[in-house]
Amino acid sequence: MANNPDQELAAETSQKHPGGRPSTYDPAYCQKVIDLGADGMSPEQISAEIDIPRTTMLSWAESYPEFSTALTRAKELEMAWWEN
């Protein structure tokens, strides 16, 4: 028995967006976060500057390895800024 095309489309769509609203994540945030960390901004200041809740940033760090790396690098640069 052949699959229903509507069921196939629904299955494909559910795999792309498992539920809820699609993420507003953009890979361009990575460089912005690094640049703000280099200016000495804390994670709280960074989240305010890019207008994203801190909890969302933490969620993105769990979901997107490149964003996690950017946050780590931003923290290192923030600390270096303050130590200088």
Side-chain angles (χ1 to χ4, degrees):
M1 184 168 143
N3 286 340
N4 180 334
D6 291 334
Q7 289 175 335
E8 289 176 11
L9 179 60
E12 289 176 17
T13 303
S14 68
Q15 289 174 1
K16 291 179 185 175
H17 298 288
R21 190 165 78 176
S23 176
T24 57
Y25 174 75
D26 180 345
Y29 281 123
C30 293
Q31 189 58 52
K32 182 71 172 171
V33 163
I34 291 169
D35 293 343
L36 293 170
D39 289 339
M41 290 192 175
S42 69
E44 291 78 11
Q45 290 172 308
I46 292 170
S47 71
E49 185 70 25
I50 64 175
D51 197 28
I52 297 295
R54 188 169 178 276
T55 54
T56 298
M57 285 194 345
L58 296 175
S59 175
W60 287 351
E62 291 178 8
S63 299
Y64 303 99
E66 71 275 13
F67 191 74
S68 178
T69 300
L71 280 179
T72 298
R73 184 65 182 140
K75 187 63 177 174
E76 294 166 350
L77 293 169
E78 174 206 350
M79 295 302 294
W81 187 91
W82 284 103
E83 289 174 4
N84 286 330

